[in-house]
């Protein structure tokens, strides 16, 4: 498709979304809607890609910074015909075909676009314009495809301009076109705005082609969902569900078990290896990659995390921006905040929170701990209820726990502090000074036993 230039229309306000965010920035499976047509054009290796922006232009530009696409400003949104006219100014001298996509038709598939390209290239008389249509049960809102008695397309009538008879037509325009650039540049200026919305309608090109004796071809897409336009939040949710099942189906075909696809939420771009099992209620987002043979139990949130092979994430754990090794066990109810990592075979148990910390190979923090700004070596045991005190109200400090150290239950490590290799921290200790390797540290008030105290308290009427 290198000889084809593409124009993606994304300047509209998206009034029906009732949102401050431009429509094409609304997310579907973790990416802004506009990402999908742009991704497809990348995969199809289209030539130049021009995105027409207007409403919320700066935000859209920012969201797609670094992409190969060029942005063209349509200052006033005077209609889809006008939007294409703005883009064509940037394509002066270009002689190939121009593919026009809508930024709000995100589910379109590669096969459909290649189908359109081959349809356009076929036949004795090459069409001047080819477009994608589909048949829908409820065509409300779409432009209707009007055909003559021979079945040739003669024009497209927008919903708001359609007569009752035309409104009954179930074949609709999908907003995806392939046009000869000479035809396009000659006719785009001829589009008027004498219609119900007072806009320059791009679909008017059909009638212009027909009156000039040019051929118009249509590819009828079999799957109406794929070519659906997203205009309101109901359609957004439908698109989300559809994209999600596409993602899950591709994971399942590659060997991942998704126990309940209707209740599993995996974003575009997430990868998972064979024989990994994902339980319902789990959401995996961002650039997450899950290894093979992992078990991700119910209701976990995994955001931009890398998880090694054979790791188990037990129920209701939250992992953000962290790197977890192989054969690790996390949760249930564990939280790994951004910047954390865990070596192979480590164990992070229930109600343990880890922030910006590295947990070494085979180390364990199994119950009720807070480990923040800490480097934990290999084979360390952190007992129940032990915490690092990394914040003095002004600054944050680091804790270092060296290999093989043992931190007894209910200890506080007041940072900055270091516990040396193989050292022991007695249960209930508040560590404020570095502990040398192999040492024992205990800060415990001597235990006092008062015999018969309870009996005496009772007798004295509760005075003790
Ligand atoms: C459009 C088509 C309709 C088709 C439907 C398919 C027109 C007039 N109608 O209707 O035949 O059935 O898509 O989904 O084209 N845009 C701009 N600049 C503008 C106006 C719109 O860039 O001035 C962009 C929008 O951001 C959007 C796309 O063009 O991405 C389509 O615009 P929208 O207003 O959603 O058109 P529809 O009413 O859905
Ligand atoms: Ca639309």
């Amino acid at each position: 498709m290198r000889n084809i230039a593409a124009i993606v229309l994304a300047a509209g306000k998206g009034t029906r979304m009732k949102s401050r965010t431009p429509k094409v920035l609304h997310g579907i499976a973790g990416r802004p809607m506009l990402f999908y047509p742009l991704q497809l054009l990348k995969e199809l290796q289209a030539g130049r890609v021009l995105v027409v922006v207007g409403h919320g232009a700066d935000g859209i530009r920012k969201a797609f910074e670094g992409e190969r696409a060029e942005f063209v400003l349509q200052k006033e949104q005077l209609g889809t015909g006008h939007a294409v006219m703005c883009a064509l100014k940037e394509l002066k001298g270009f002689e190939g075909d121009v593919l026009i996509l809508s930024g709000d038709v995100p589910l379109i598939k590669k096969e459909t676009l290649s189908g359109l390209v081959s349809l356009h290239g076929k036949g004795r008389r090459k069409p001047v314009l080819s477009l994608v249509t589909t048949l829908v049960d409820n065509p409300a809102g779409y432009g209707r495809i009007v055909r003559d008695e021979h079945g040739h397309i003669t024009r497209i009538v927008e919903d708001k301009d359609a007569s009752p008879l035309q409104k009954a037509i179930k074949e609709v325009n999908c907003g995806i076109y392939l046009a000869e650039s000479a035809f396009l540049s000659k006719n785009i200026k001829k589009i008027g705005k004498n219609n119900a919305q007072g806009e320059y309608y791009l679909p008017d090109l059909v009638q212009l082609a027909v009156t000039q004796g040019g051929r118009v071809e249509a590819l009828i897409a079999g799957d109406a969902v794929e070519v659906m336009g997203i205009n309101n939040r109901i359609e957004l949710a439908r698109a989300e569900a559809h994209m999600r099942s596409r993602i899950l189906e591709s994971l399942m075909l590659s060997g991942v078990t998704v126990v309940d696809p209707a209740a599993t939420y995996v974003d575009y771009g997430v990868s998972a290896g064979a024989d990994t099992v994902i339980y319902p209620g789990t959401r995996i987002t961002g650039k997450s990659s899950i290894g093979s043979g992992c078990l991700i139990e119910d209701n976990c949130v995994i955001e931009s995390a890398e998880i090694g092979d054979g790791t188990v994430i037990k129920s209701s754990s939250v992992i953000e921006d962290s790197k977890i090794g192989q054969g690790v066990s996390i949760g249930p109810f564990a939280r790994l905040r951004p910047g954390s990592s865990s070596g192979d075979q480590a164990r992070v148990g229930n109600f343990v929170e880890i922030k910006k910390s590295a947990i070494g190979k085979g180390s364990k923090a199994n119950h009720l701990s807070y480990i923040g700004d800490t480097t934990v070596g290999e084979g360390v045991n952190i007992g129940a209820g032990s915490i690092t005190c990394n914040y003095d109200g002004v600054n944050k400090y680091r804790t270092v726990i060296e290999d093989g150290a043992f931190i007894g239950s209910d200890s506080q490590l007041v940072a900055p502090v270091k516990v040396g290799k193989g050292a022991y921290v007695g249960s209930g200790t508040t560590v404020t000074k570095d502990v040398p390797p192999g040492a024992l540290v205990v800060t415990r008030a001597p235990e006092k036993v008062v015999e018969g105290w309870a009996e005496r308290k009772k007798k004295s009427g509760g005075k003790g």
Side-chain angles (χ1 to χ4, degrees):
M1 263 183 62
R2 278 182 214 285
N3 50 347
I4 292 179
I7 299 174
V8 184
L9 306 185
K13 187 160 182 227
T15 315
R16 291 164 276 182
M17 294 297 283
K18 309 256 163 70
S19 174
R20 269 185 283 208
T21 305
K23 174 162 77 177
V24 295
L25 287 188
H26 279 263
I28 295 173
R31 303 289 173 113
M33 204 184 292
L34 180 59
F35 165 84
Y36 296 100
L38 293 184
Q39 177 63 20
L40 217 52
L41 292 170
K42 214 186 272 175
E43 286 170 22
L44 290 165
Q45 300 186 310
R48 283 177 72 185
V49 174
L50 304 171
V51 182
V52 183
V53 289
H55 183 82
D58 291 343
I60 299 173
R61 275 202 181 101
K62 214 166 152 213
F64 291 92
E65 230 161 39
E67 287 290 323
R68 196 172 57 96
E70 305 165 50
F71 291 91
V72 178
L73 189 67
Q74 183 195 21
K75 269 202 207 112
E76 264 185 296
Q77 286 76 60
L78 304 177
T80 46
H82 178 255
V84 168
M85 192 158 74
C86 294
L88 285 179
K89 284 186 190 135
E90 304 294 318
L91 279 177
K92 275 205 184 96
F94 175 73
E95 285 178 355
D97 288 329
V98 180
L99 175 67
I100 303 168
L101 303 180
S102 295
D104 67 346
V105 182
L107 301 177
I108 178 83
K109 280 188 183 156
K110 212 195 278 184
E111 296 74 30
T112 307
L113 288 188
S114 352
L116 183 69
V117 172
S118 50
L119 175 77
H120 192 72
K122 258 202 260 165
R124 265 183 309 123
R125 208 155 55 95
K126 201 178 171 222
V128 291
L129 178 68
S130 299
L131 57 126
V132 181
T133 71
T134 193
L135 296 160
V136 290
D137 289 335
N138 177 14
Y142 285 103
R144 312 295 204 281
I145 305 294
V146 180
R147 291 180 184 261
D148 64 15
E149 63 276 19
H150 308 292
H152 298 310
I153 297 182
T154 56
R155 58 182 294 216
I156 296 175
V157 184
E158 287 306 301
D159 190 61
K160 290 198 171 117
D161 300 277
S163 67
L165 216 61
Q166 289 166 332
K167 274 197 201 282
I169 298 173
K170 302 233 155 133
E171 189 184 3
V172 300
N173 171 28
C174 302
I176 296 155
Y177 319 81
L178 189 55
E180 202 180 66
S181 58
F183 164 80
L184 199 56
S185 39
K186 195 174 105 202
N187 287 284
I188 200 80
K189 297 171 247 161
K190 294 189 185 161
I191 293 175
K193 54 171 183 171
N194 185 17
N195 52 52
Q197 301 186 81
E199 284 183 6
Y200 297 96
Y201 289 165
L202 184 62
D204 283 0
L205 283 178
V206 171
Q207 209 174 353
L208 285 165
V210 171
T211 49
Q212 290 163 29
R215 218 175 88 194
V216 177
E217 279 296 339
L219 176 80
I220 306 176
D223 176 11
V225 177
E226 182 204 330
V227 285
M228 113 176 164
I230 312 303
N231 297 305
N232 59 43
R233 303 210 194 210
I234 298 173
E235 289 161 343
L236 181 71
R238 263 185 220 144
E240 169 83 33
H242 189 81
M243 188 58 81
R244 199 160 61 220
S245 54
R246 259 192 216 175
I247 294 165
L248 293 175
E249 278 166 21
S250 127
L251 285 177
M252 290 188 274
L253 289 175
S254 69
V256 175
T257 294
V258 179
V259 175
D260 182 0
T264 305
Y265 311 87
V266 176
D267 275 1
Y268 183 95
V270 168
S271 65
D275 289 324
T276 279
V277 179
I278 308 174
Y279 274 83
T282 282
R283 184 156 60 85
I284 309 176
T285 69
K287 294 200 172 79
S288 295
S289 75
I290 318 285
S292 59
C294 293
L295 173 63
I296 318 284
E297 289 187 355
D298 318 61
N299 304 320
C300 292
V301 178
I302 299 173
E303 290 177 3
S304 296
E306 198 184 315
I307 294 175
D309 297 343
T311 283
V312 177
I313 313 291
K314 291 184 183 153
S315 178
S316 302
S317 295
V318 178
I319 301 171
E320 294 163 88
D321 242 318
S322 295
K323 192 170 184 284
I324 292 162
Q326 302 186 2
V328 175
S329 171
I330 308 271
F333 302 101
R335 180 174 184 208
L336 271 75
R337 289 167 53 194
S340 299
S341 68
S342 145
D344 298 345
Q345 277 85 43
R347 309 210 154 255
V348 175
N350 35 225
F351 308 108
V352 173
E353 175 181 346
I354 293 178
K355 187 214 80 171
K356 264 195 204 159
S357 297
I359 309 292
K361 194 175 168 184
S363 289
K364 296 178 196 161
N366 271 332
H367 334 265
L368 300 148
S369 282
Y370 172 63
I371 301 166
D373 303 307
T374 301
T375 306
V376 178
E378 297 185 1
V380 167
N381 187 85
I382 297 176
S386 287
I387 60 167
T388 57
C389 310
N390 58 329
Y391 185 50
D392 64 2
V394 183
N395 294 308
K396 301 235 164 88
Y397 301 94
R398 289 203 70 83
T399 299
V400 176
I401 305 172
E402 291 187 339
D403 295 352
F406 182 96
I407 315 296
S409 297
D410 192 29
S411 297
Q412 300 90 48
L413 307 180
V414 183
V417 78
K418 181 169 165 181
V419 177
K421 214 170 170 173
Y424 276 71
V425 173
S427 187
T429 295
T430 303
V431 182
T432 53
K433 284 186 279 202
D434 288 357
V435 185
L440 165 71
V441 59
V442 218
T443 56
R444 218 179 278 164
E447 196 168 291
K448 192 172 154 191
V449 178
V450 184
E451 299 273 0
W453 183 86
E455 197 54 34
R456 285 202 299 279
K457 177 181 156 89
K458 227 184 268 167
K459 279 192 193 136
S460 69
K463 284 184 196 123

